[in-house]
Amino acid sequence: IYDQAGRPVPGATIIVDGIRRQIADLNGRFVVPGLRSGAHAVTAQRQDFETVHLRLHFERRTEVLYIRMISMDQILELAEARIAAREWPQARQLLERATKMDRSNPLLRFESAILAFRTGDPEGGLRMLTPLLETKPADPTACLLAADICEAGLGDTARAEAYLKEYLGQREDAEARARLQKLQSPDSSTSPAP
């Protein structure tokens, strides 16, 4: 069993015909003793990986089965690349797959917020960030994105200022500080690009 980069997936559980369970070793290998030739249903699963379901026909005990699994991190990397390329349907599909694995994953929430914002749903983007913003202290990267969404997507400079202050309370960032000062000045009329 290997991931999308060709690395072994140790600890993956292999279920054959719903009853035979094996665990992949450190090299991603497993053996199913006593397997008869014929058709079999095979499932491979591991936490933080997408479950794989296969229907296979085995003839000989010496046959080798290669299973390729994709991790949450790999799906999110692909989604990030699709967002950067403005391939919204593909990005959305990848994020939906990741949601089935772990809807509370912070990076999934962040990427989903970016997708919502960039496809014209700033309120949806802010909702995706809410759990990250409610932690104490709030996730600094989420604060920065929330400031972008509030300023550029919603035109709410007061909320943008609040998120920038929260961010600057955790990190020193000259660019963010200059942005906050600009928002606080009476002639503030420009917004950052999403």
Side-chain angles (χ1 to χ4, degrees), residues 52-107:
V52 175
H53 300 281
L54 304 167
R55 286 258 341 128
L56 302 169
H57 190 84
F58 289 102
E59 290 297 321
R60 295 178 306 279
R61 298 268 317 129
T62 57
E63 285 184 79
V64 176
L65 170 64
Y66 291 95
I67 300 174
R68 188 163 303 270
M69 299 180 78
I70 187 166
S71 71
M72 170 73 94
D73 290 342
Q74 290 167 329
I75 288 176
L76 292 175
E77 285 174 16
L78 291 171
E80 184 176 2
R82 299 291 69 82
I83 290 169
R86 298 181 169 274
E87 296 171 352
W88 311 133
Q90 297 89 337
R92 188 168 283 112
Q93 182 183 51
L94 288 161
L95 292 173
E96 286 169 3
R97 287 170 61 187
T99 299
K100 292 176 185 174
M101 296 166 63
D102 179 6
R103 70 178 42 253
S104 66
N105 181 290
L107 187 54

Side-chain angles (χ1 to χ4, degrees), residues 131-140 143 166 169-170:
L132 304 176
L133 297 168
E134 290 177 343
T135 61
K136 294 299 174 205
D139 180 279
C143 289
E166 177 83 22
Q170 299 177 57

Side-chain angles (χ1 to χ4, degrees), residues 1-2 4 13 15 42-46 49-54 67-70:
I1 300 179
Y2 299 95
Q4 294 297 304
T13 300
I15 304 166
V42 178
T43 300
Q45 56 192 31
R46 187 180 130 184
F49 280 79
E50 192 170 47
T51 299
V52 175
H53 300 281
L54 304 167
I67 300 174
R68 188 163 303 270
M69 299 180 78
I70 187 166

Side-chain angles (χ1 to χ4, degrees), residues 121-135:
D121 183 13
E123 287 290 349
L126 212 47
R127 275 193 306 276
M128 289 305 300
L129 292 175
T130 299
L132 304 176
L133 297 168
E134 290 177 343
T135 61

